[in-house]
Amino acid sequence: MIEKPLTAEDVDFVTTLHGEERISFVVLLQPRGDQADVLLRAIDDVAMGELKEAVREGEELEGNEAREPAEIGLEYSLRALRQAGAEAVGQVVEDHPLDKLTTVVEEAGADEVIVLTAPHYVEEFFHRDWASRARHKVGVPVLKLFAHSE
């Protein structure tokens, strides 16, 4: 589960987690605009010392405006995973991402879930971040990783 396109470092990181074992990915991307409250994201930015980003949080694309960039980012991420030798399919998820994640885990027979996001300190503190919530829902181990910046 991701909220933005994977960087080359992210791809290298997730494709080498299990050594030489051949792996496959089902990537769910939820555009950041719909995933969290603007105020919580701004507080996270301030906590990380990124004051300019906190001011720009209101400019984040949401809803239909976020769909096309999300689809482009997903295709970029899937292509990068495939070029690294992994099998990869995916989809943009707009509503109920954890319900969709649970369904994907069951249908794919997944061994684990990787949640790759930017730090969300407020949500993490209250265990409302994707990884914390997924641990109670999906029935397989959930690994939380922090995404690399572009």
Side-chain angles (χ1 to χ4, degrees), residues 1-7 10 27-32 35 60 69-70 73-74 76-77 116-118 130 146-150:
M1 185 169 243
I2 60 175
E3 63 187 4
K4 66 181 187 105
L6 298 174
T7 65
D10 294 331
V27 180
L28 301 179
L29 185 149
Q30 182 176 18
R32 187 171 177 221
Q35 171 228 295
E60 191 75 35
L74 176 64
Y76 172 85
S77 298
L116 186 70
T117 68
W130 282 349
F146 290 122
H148 292 80
S149 298
E150 289 98 59

Side-chain angles (χ1 to χ4, degrees), residues 18-65:
H18 298 286
E20 298 298 317
E21 183 179 336
R22 181 136 173 93
I23 53 175
S24 61
F25 294 91
V26 178
V27 180
L28 301 179
L29 185 149
Q30 182 176 18
R32 187 171 177 221
D34 288 342
Q35 171 228 295
D37 179 67
V38 173
L39 178 60
L40 290 178
R41 292 194 318 253
I43 291 170
D44 283 339
D45 291 336
V46 170
M48 292 175 47
E50 297 176 359
L51 300 178
K52 289 181 183 179
E53 291 299 318
V55 173
R56 290 192 201 111
E57 285 298 343
E59 300 170 8
E60 191 75 35
L61 295 177
E62 295 187 21
N64 289 335
E65 294 177 341

Side-chain angles (χ1 to χ4, degrees), residues 2-150:
I2 60 175
E3 63 187 4
K4 66 181 187 105
L6 298 174
T7 65
E9 292 88 357
D10 294 331
V11 170
D12 184 54
F13 193 36
V14 299
T15 57
T16 60
L17 280 172
H18 298 286
E20 298 298 317
E21 183 179 336
R22 181 136 173 93
I23 53 175
S24 61
F25 294 91
V26 178
V27 180
L28 301 179
L29 185 149
Q30 182 176 18
R32 187 171 177 221
D34 288 342
Q35 171 228 295
D37 179 67
V38 173
L39 178 60
L40 290 178
R41 292 194 318 253
I43 291 170
D44 283 339
D45 291 336
V46 170
M48 292 175 47
E50 297 176 359
L51 300 178
K52 289 181 183 179
E53 291 299 318
V55 173
R56 290 192 201 111
E57 285 298 343
E59 300 170 8
E60 191 75 35
L61 295 177
E62 295 187 21
N64 289 335
E65 294 177 341
R67 179 77 188 191
E68 185 177 349
E71 288 174 353
I72 292 168
L74 176 64
E75 284 305 314
Y76 172 85
S77 298
L78 295 175
R79 189 171 40 253
L81 288 166
R82 291 174 190 139
Q83 288 173 347
E87 295 178 27
V89 297
Q91 63 185 286
V92 173
V93 179
E94 295 181 62
D95 297 318
H96 311 291
L98 293 173
D99 291 341
K100 182 62 179 177
L101 178 62
T102 302
T103 300
V104 167
V105 166
E106 291 169 0
E107 290 175 354
D111 296 324
E112 71 181 349
V113 168
I114 298 173
V115 176
L116 186 70
T117 68
H120 298 292
Y121 297 114
V122 175
E123 291 176 350
E124 290 168 23
F125 181 78
F126 291 106
H127 302 283
R128 299 300 303 155
D129 60 299
W130 282 349
S132 296
R133 292 167 51 202
R135 285 185 182 108
H136 300 286
K137 198 162 179 117
V138 297
V140 297
V142 176
L143 178 61
K144 179 178 184 158
L145 303 173
F146 290 122
H148 292 80
S149 298
E150 289 98 59

